Amino acid sequence: MKRNSTHLVLLSCALLFAGFAADALPYDYSASIECLENPQKAQYDGGIIINPELNNGLDGWMSFGGAKIEQRASVGGNRFIVAHSRRQRHDSSSQKVYLDKDKLYTFSAWIQVSTGNVPITAIFKTAEGFKPAGAVVAESGCWSMLKGGLTVDHSGSADLFFLSNDTSVEIWIDSVSLQPFTKEEWRSHQHRSIEKVRKSSVRLQVVNAQGKPIAGTKISINQNRPGFPFGTAINKNILSNAAYQSWFTSRAFTVTTFEDEMKWYSTESTRGKEDYSVPDAMLQLAKQHGVRVRGHNIFWDDPKYQPGWVTSLSPADLRAAADKRISSIVSRYRGQVIAWDVVNENLHFNFLESKLGGKASAIYFQKANGIDGQAVLFLNDYNTIEDSRDSAATPAKYIQKVKEIRQSYGGAMGIGVEGHFSSVDIPYMRSALDTLAAAAIPIWITELDVAAGPNQASNLEQILREAHGHPAVAGIVIWAAWKPGGCYRMCLTDNNFKNLPTGDVVDKLLGEWRRSTVGTTNTDGFFDTSLFHGDYEVKIDSADPSATNSSFTRQFAVTSMNDGVSEEQIQFVQLSI
């Protein structure tokens, strides 16, 4: 390409949030994790709930189990319903609703208890059984938001009620909402969110050296690298298997996690004998192909997964061994990983805290941050988004744990939700992410897989679309590292590295999320399009007959530049040919 041409191209990337024209009721992604003096208004004006803010006495509400119910009012005049004289965990206030199997339901309520801090779960009693819709740790003296969601397999009537194992407390309820959405409306929410947070409107203009627009210029835009972090886990088998390497590196994966190779039992199986040769080699492979690595994990709180020599240590020796472990691995890979799962599965297990005290997790966050201040430090746990039945890992419990750690640690951290799905409850998944998002820290889906079954691939696609479309999700890693004997729960390929249906889903979405486009500039020299965030190459074939060399390429990036105040920001690139 000649560099003495007299032509100039002005590339202006107008990073505008594209609109979305639809009649669908917008989804309210907001959630509160603060305990407030007064409850907020019911979302969607209560949806299909009768008397959602209890302004009409007890209309629509009844007693469930043996509870007694009554309406009360605060000093300021706010009215709410109270279930008292409870003897059974399910004794509460209730409302009968009709649930449609073809609808997706988002649910919310504001909860207070008479004394203490008490977990409260919203339950729908249906013909097919009891379906938890969400939970919150309610407090006395202030109101907490419970946000959840559900679907049902059969249409019919259901009883909404609130469950608490502590029968000594009164359950106060206000601002209840149950809003149904069609599948088409739900997809429109994903589309709106993707247009807003994953893509930007881009305007390219071609002008000559005198600034005159050049009409009819052919433009071809191809994405070189996606901006959204997406990938799959790998393991040591990739080092000796060329077909595995080829499959992995030929896709647009931008991030990976090592399945087991960085874990303590892998790097120090014998006390005092560390071996990092395998993760070192895997890290080099990832670097060669521009794939970033999440560090997984520094500590795993499940007693089953400690190195064999660790479980019998005295507290003093365990403290010394843990200090050595964190110093060793974080120092070795400082600046080479983008994140650390500092404490793995700390909602379900507490090996370190049971041995070293309740602040052990916070201490190790602090130590990791002191060694590697650039990596994002994560808690990482399962069932927070994938299973509403697990009371140990509700979004409220996760937020509570984050607050406990940050009170002692004080630094930045992230939320890692593993996402090992046995069944699919997309409304609950979305609401759980909404609640976690209120903490205003990064959220990654770190170990995504789906249980085997006839709908495994379609379920995976639903979950990936929901995750990618949620504005709070900052990255996704699929948990499908290949082994000759089979993957952990879900493979993407067979043993010949031919895609399984799950692999086809991943390739389909990777193609969908890396938009390329062609077009021609208009009479003013403009070409407008909408592109996913990422790195691009644009090829321009100028229609101006006076061009010395009318064809050239240029790289540019499309990023989210919205600052929350300005409605648009524009990036300009100039080049001459």
Side-chain angles (χ1 to χ4, degrees), residues 120 270 299 385 575:
I120 304 290
T270 301
F299 297 113
I385 63 170
L575 59 91

Side-chain angles (χ1 to χ4, degrees), residues 46 48-64 69-71 80-81 92-98 107 124 158-162 173 176 178:
I48 62 173
I49 293 292
I50 298 169
N51 191 18
E53 295 182 353
L54 283 301
N55 292 325
N56 298 318
L58 296 179
D59 183 29
W61 294 92
M62 64 195 73
S63 174
F64 192 85
I69 62 171
E70 63 183 65
Q71 185 193 52
F80 52 93
I81 190 171
S92 74
S93 54
S94 174
Q95 184 164 142
K96 192 171 289 291
V97 295
Y98 184 87
F107 174 80
F124 286 83
D159 295 302
L160 161 66
F161 68 96
F162 299 89
I173 309 293
V176 185
L178 182 65

Side-chain angles (χ1 to χ4, degrees), residues 297-373:
N297 51 55
I298 300 175
F299 297 113
W300 194 347
D301 246 347
D302 189 339
K304 291 191 304 185
Y305 296 108
Q306 305 305 317
W309 55 271
V310 164
T311 54
S312 60
L313 294 179
S314 68
D317 286 346
L318 176 60
R319 182 174 285 105
D323 287 348
K324 178 174 177 288
R325 157 67 176 174
I326 195 167
S327 176
S328 173
I329 192 167
V330 180
S331 296
R332 187 178 192 89
Y333 298 120
R334 177 177 52 222
Q336 301 183 75
V337 298
I338 60 172
W340 287 106
D341 291 331
V342 180
V343 186
N344 197 50
E345 299 178 356
N346 189 222
L347 297 176
H348 289 92
F349 308 102
N350 65 342
F351 176 78
L352 289 175
E353 291 172 334
S354 69
K355 303 283 188 180
L356 304 179
K359 294 187 178 181
S361 294
I363 289 169
Y364 290 117
F365 268 87
Q366 196 165 30
K367 288 180 181 291
N369 183 63
I371 300 168
D372 187 355

